[in-house]
Amino acid sequence: MANVGIVMGSDSDLEIMAKAADVLEEFGVEYEMTIISAHREPEVFFEYAKGAEERGFKVIIAGAGMAAHLPGMCAALFPLPVIGIPMHTSSLGGRDSLYSIVQMPPGIPVATVAINGGKNAGLLAVKMLAMSDPELLEKLREYSAKMCAEVQAKDQKLKELGYRSYKK
Ligand code: RP5
């Protein structure tokens, strides 16, 4: 059974939502990925959000762009945490999506990540699940240690080569 529901407003959002899915796969977390437009098919959306708890989701990652109401409406109907990903947009650079998702009224929180922040959304979902899963918590510790080692290796290389010869 999937622990995480990943939902997006359009296939335009897929590239960013895939980054969240990649993280969940790396940590061995089951997810279900869905395209639903809250505006273009409101009844389908309502069924999805109302049934999400019954399907076993512990957290929903919802991404949308422009007047991005999908994450907020998920949070209105689903009792567990919702993580919102604002999509970059060509007209307003994603500020439209960001403000739509982050400026929720008191009582209905959405944990909003950065514009196009698919990877952090995935990690945040893993951290939420790790609160009651010691194995997942251990994997998170290993993930952090690996990141730390990678930065230290870069610093070592910089020291050895100097900034003029350093290539990423
Ligand atoms: C939103 O409108 C979607 O989340 C997408 O980011 C944006 C544009 O959708 P399309 O017109 O590309 O389907 O609903």
Side-chain angles (χ1 to χ4, degrees):
M1 194 184 262
N3 278 325
V4 179
I6 296 181
V7 63
M8 65 205 91
S10 166
D11 59 359
S12 322
D13 309 328
L14 187 56
E15 191 185 333
I16 299 304
M17 302 309 285
K19 293 181 182 181
D22 286 345
V23 171
L24 297 181
E25 286 191 16
E26 189 177 339
F27 281 87
V29 171
E30 303 259 340
Y31 63 89
E32 182 191 298
M33 206 180 226
T34 308
I35 298 171
I36 295 181
S37 170
H39 296 128
R40 292 166 177 156
E41 43 173 9
E43 281 92 2
V44 176
F45 163 75
F46 188 80
E47 288 302 311
Y48 172 85
K50 285 294 278 183
E53 190 186 3
E54 207 169 285
R55 277 213 294 291
F57 296 168
K58 300 287 179 271
V59 48
I60 291 178
I61 300 174
M66 304 170 76
H69 297 135
L70 181 70
M73 286 307 295
C74 280
L77 292 163
F78 177 65
L80 291 166
V82 174
I83 301 168
I85 310 177
M87 294 298 144
H88 186 268
T89 57
S90 52
S91 45
L92 296 174
R95 290 169 194 82
D96 42 355
S97 325
L98 174 65
Y99 294 161
S100 299
I101 295 175
V102 80
Q103 288 291 71
M104 288 299 292
I108 316 287
V110 171
T112 309
V113 296
I115 294 169
N116 281 359
K119 183 172 181 176
N120 270 357
L123 276 167
L124 193 51
V126 171
K127 283 175 181 254
M128 287 171 179
L129 296 171
M131 286 192 287
S132 57
D133 184 336
E135 258 182 55
L136 218 42
L137 182 56
E138 192 46 41
K139 284 187 192 172
L140 277 166
R141 289 192 210 285
E142 286 164 15
Y143 182 89
S144 297
K146 190 168 159 241
M147 270 197 306
C148 180
E150 282 168 3
V151 179
Q152 286 175 338
K154 287 174 189 171
D155 181 53
Q156 185 64 32
K157 186 172 140 188
L158 177 63
K159 299 268 187 313
E160 281 165 21
L161 298 178
Y163 76 91
R164 287 190 182 85
S165 306
Y166 188 99
K167 298 266 181 311
K168 277 178 84 176

